[in-house]
């Protein structure tokens, strides 16, 4: 059995629904998740449905506070001639508290560059949204031994100008591109090694406060592999794609971040 760790950082599990679930399907899924997570007090829980499902999710959640809402991206401006875009204040209106930025799918298909991510992260803070900034290497970059350099430059450039006193609002997600939606998961040791590197950079940027910033792992997280991944000292939670669309699987992953209790020790 995986030995659970005692981690000073509060775990966070976020479900990235990507382009799945209409507004009407959203209600049922949110209800199912809420029913299961009602008593979870040991972690912050977030679901990130598509924009069009946010109002339904918000309405279904009502005053329920165990589950927070997140968006999958946002535009940095408050408003303007930006066809197809959604701003921070628009998200806030539907109770959104978190926003994923720089997801590899948006970096790949929608030109969400480090520079844009940096501007969006600053705007997110301005509009009281917690940015979940994603970084991660492709398979060819890993094979060329470029993982550290890529992750480091993505992180530094995506956090350029980030207000240093807002470290508590920031969440980082390490998502190796080759592990996303492929069923290929990074080994716990591989993931932890990159998380350690990210931690060092966060400490360089934020000083001691860098030790308190949560770093999530994402990429084919499933109930079967979550306990081993989440037991790693530098993995503070998960950013879950496919498995977050199944309330039971999502809940099982959440269980994997439950901190050790005194009675669990030998
Ligand atoms: P999968 O869990 O489906 O691999 O997706 C991971 C992801 O991209 C979460 O943002």
């Amino acid at each position: 059995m995986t030995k659970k760790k005692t981690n000073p950082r509060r775990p966070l599990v976020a479900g990235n629904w990507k382009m799945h679930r209409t507004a009407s399907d959203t209600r049922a899924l949110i209800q199912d998740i809420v029913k299961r997570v009602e008593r979870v007090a040991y972690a912050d829980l977030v679901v990130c449905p598509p924009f069009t499902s946010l109002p339904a999710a918000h309405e279904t959640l009502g005053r329920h506070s165990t589950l927070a809402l997140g968006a999958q991206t946002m535009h940095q401006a408050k408003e303007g001639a930006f066809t197809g875009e959604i701003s921070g204040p628009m998200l806030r209106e539907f109770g959104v508290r978190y926003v994923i930025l720089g997801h590899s799918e948006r970096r790949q298909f929608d030109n969400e560059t480090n520079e844009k991510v940096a501007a969006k992260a600053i705007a997110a803070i301005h509009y009281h949204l917690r940015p979940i900034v994603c970084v991660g290497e492709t398979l060819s970059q890993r094979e060329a031994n470029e993982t550290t350099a890529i992750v480091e430059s993505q992180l530094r450039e995506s956090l350029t100008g980030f207000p240093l006193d807002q470290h508590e609002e920031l969440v980082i997600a390490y998502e190796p591109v080759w592990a996303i939606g492929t069923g290929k998961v990074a080994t716990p040791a591989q993931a932890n090694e990159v998380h350690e590197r990210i931690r060092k950079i966060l400490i360089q940027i934020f000083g001691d406060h860098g030790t308190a910033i949560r770093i999530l792992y994402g990429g084919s997280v499933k109930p079967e592999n979550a306990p081993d991944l989440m037991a790693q000292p530098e993995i503070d939670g998960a950013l879950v794609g496919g498995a977050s669309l199944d309330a039971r699987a999502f809940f099982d992953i959440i269980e994997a971040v439950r901190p050790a209790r005194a009675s669990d020790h030998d």
Side-chain angles (χ1 to χ4, degrees), residues 16 18 103 105 175 179-182 218-222 239-243:
N16 175 8
K18 308 193 178 182
H103 189 280
E105 286 148 17
E175 298 206 312
I180 295 177
T182 57
S220 296
V221 177
K222 304 276 181 277
L239 181 53
V240 187

Side-chain angles (χ1 to χ4, degrees), residues 40-157:
V40 174
Y42 52 82
D44 290 333
L45 307 178
V46 185
V47 285
C48 307
F51 288 140
T52 50
S53 292
L54 287 171
H58 183 47
E59 206 181 281
T60 311
L61 282 171
R63 286 150 61 100
H64 198 276
S65 60
T66 311
L67 198 56
L69 273 184
Q72 299 174 18
T73 187
M74 62 174 265
H75 193 276
Q76 61 272 27
K78 180 180 170 208
E79 58 185 13
F82 301 107
T83 303
E85 296 287 349
I86 300 282
S87 74
M90 293 169 183
L91 295 174
R92 287 288 313 209
E93 203 175 3
F94 291 101
V96 173
R97 293 279 179 272
Y98 291 81
V99 59
I100 299 172
L101 297 176
H103 189 280
S104 64
E105 286 148 17
R106 295 209 52 91
R107 288 180 184 269
Q108 189 182 349
F109 304 122
D110 297 278
N111 197 31
E112 211 163 279
T113 58
N114 291 331
E115 199 183 355
K116 282 190 193 167
V117 174
K120 288 170 190 233
I122 296 167
I125 293 296
H126 183 74
Y127 296 116
H128 305 287
L129 293 161
R130 296 181 153 173
I132 302 176
V133 172
C134 303
V135 295
E137 80 288 1
T138 62
L139 184 58
S140 57
Q141 288 165 339
R142 175 162 280 266
E143 285 172 349
N145 277 329
E146 290 170 1
T147 301
T148 309
I150 290 292
V151 166
E152 174 152 0
S153 65
Q154 284 178 336
L155 192 63
R156 287 190 190 281
E157 289 172 31

